[in-house]
Amino acid sequence: MARRSWVEQIMGLPVSVLARGDGAGSGDAEAAVREVFAELSEVDRVFSPYKPDSAVSRLARGEVSWDGVDAAVRDVAARCVAARELTGGLFDAEVPGGGWDPSGLVKGWAVERAGDCLRKVDGVDWCLNAGGDVLVLCPSGEPFTVGIQDPRDPGRVVTSVAQTGGAVATSGTAARGAHLYDPRTGGPAASRWLSISVSGPSLEYADVLATAAFVAADGWPEVIEVLPGYPGLGVLADGTLFATAGWGG
């Protein structure tokens, strides 16, 4: 099949799109990808805690109230509350010191939403990868092979999984160090697991569950069981892999 790929740096990470099929080189495909990049750039503008003019930063400084932000920001806030309840508090956008950082949910939510731009193009399979969190759309029924990065060596994969649809999300400390915190202690998440990957129908939920599972440390298999259809894979420091039922199936 014909293939075409695009990549841009957005949200501080590489976002790549792979198109496969007769329409991969079409103007419609090009326009859809540009729409995806524009959508994700707008999400970064609104939600980045590192941009001083973002809604998140303005809320943190008290320059705007919840009534003064876009409806999308309030929607994400509600989704973060639901994610906290779903995971028993292991996922929490309320950070130590009283701030609000929805980054652990926003990426999956935004990529899932941006996927709607790609679904409008007939006859094309898509693989959208945002810094290792992957959304797959395969109307042809032919799977993409999604590699799971080795957390000990970013240039290698530890295994792969065939996906004809849905998502794969990975959480850990390999790429960004100890950036995840444990809401139970208020300190950095500590785990002997180097990464946890979760697959499932929704990238938003897969991303939330992967984050909560990593925070849970050895209890991570029970965490992802709160939603059916979201199996997981853990990688230990010695390279040992542990998969829950349904992974790769």
Side-chain angles (χ1 to χ4, degrees):
M1 293 188 202
R3 292 173 179 253
R4 187 178 177 191
S5 61
W6 301 257
V7 63
E8 285 197 10
Q9 195 81 6
I10 305 173
M11 295 189 274
L13 47 86
V15 177
S16 64
V17 183
L18 173 61
R20 182 183 66 189
D22 292 341
S26 68
D28 286 345
E30 172 75 25
V33 173
R34 294 303 159 198
E35 192 176 352
V36 165
F37 289 154
E39 173 83 11
L40 295 180
S41 295
E42 176 63 10
V43 167
D44 188 39
R45 184 190 70 80
V46 173
F47 288 97
S48 173
Y50 305 107
K51 294 183 182 296
D53 293 331
S54 73
V56 171
S57 296
R58 295 182 68 207
L59 281 166
R61 294 192 299 266
E63 294 176 0
V64 64
S65 68
W66 284 104
D67 290 337
V69 297
D70 292 342
V73 180
R74 295 193 296 273
D75 177 43
V76 164
R79 290 171 182 270
C80 287
V81 171
R84 182 178 63 212
E85 295 173 351
L86 176 70
T87 62
L90 291 171
F91 176 95
D92 195 347
E94 301 293 334
V95 296
W100 182 67
D101 183 359
S103 301
L105 181 140
V106 161
K107 184 172 68 168
W109 166 81
V111 171
E112 187 80 34
R113 193 169 70 162
D116 290 340
C117 305
L118 306 178
R119 291 183 177 94
K120 295 183 292 187
V121 184
D122 293 332
V124 179
D125 295 337
W126 299 97
C127 183
L128 173 53
N129 185 332
D133 290 343
V134 180
L135 178 68
V136 172
L137 308 168
C138 292
S140 73
E142 292 293 325
F144 281 107
T145 299
V146 178
I148 305 300
Q149 186 181 64
D150 188 337
R152 303 161 301 171
D153 182 354
R156 296 170 56 88
V157 297
V158 291
T159 189
S160 61
V161 59
Q163 294 283 130
T164 57
V168 180
T170 298
S171 186
T173 57
R176 296 172 56 194
H179 68 289
L180 298 175
Y181 85 101
D182 187 338
R184 298 168 298 186
T185 66
S191 175
R192 66 192 182 106
W193 299 89
L194 295 185
S195 70
I196 306 293
S197 298
V198 176
S199 66
S202 162
L203 184 55
E204 178 183 342
Y205 282 108
D207 205 7
V208 164
L209 290 176
T211 299
F214 187 83
V215 171
D218 284 350
W220 72 264
E222 289 75 28
V223 172
I224 65 174
E225 288 177 354
V226 298
L227 281 183
Y230 286 84
L233 176 79
V235 182
L236 286 169
D238 63 0
T240 300
L241 308 180
F242 176 82
T244 64
W247 175 263

